[in-house]
Amino acid sequence: LLVWGRQAANPAVESADLWLQAIPNAELEVLADAGTLPHADAAVAFARLARSENAELVLLHVEDGSPAP
């Protein structure tokens, strides 16, 4: 599950297609009132999504998209 903020500037939600192609079986959820940090900008909505059955939580660095430690 990819969670993206509609107002994110870097990376912009328009780049989500690249992620969807690269991650098998990925789904996209866009949070309208969130920016680059959807987990902070829309914490309640993000938590609901993260707790869903299909969610696998992986945090990525905004700068380069690499997995966070």
Side-chain angles (χ1 to χ4, degrees):
L1 178 63
L2 297 174
V3 181
W4 222 285
R6 170 73 59 205
Q7 300 169 20
N10 185 23
V13 70
E14 290 78 18
S15 66
D17 285 342
L18 298 172
W19 290 88
L20 291 170
Q21 292 171 12
I23 303 171
N25 303 314
E27 296 177 24
L28 176 65
E29 288 285 343
V30 178
L31 301 179
D33 295 328
T36 303
L37 302 173
H39 60 285
D41 298 336
V44 173
F46 184 89
R48 284 189 188 120
L49 292 169
R51 294 181 68 192
S52 70
E53 282 183 29
N54 300 339
E56 179 180 337
L57 185 60
V58 178
L59 298 177
L60 301 174
H61 291 285
V62 173
E63 296 84 16
D64 61 10
S66 65

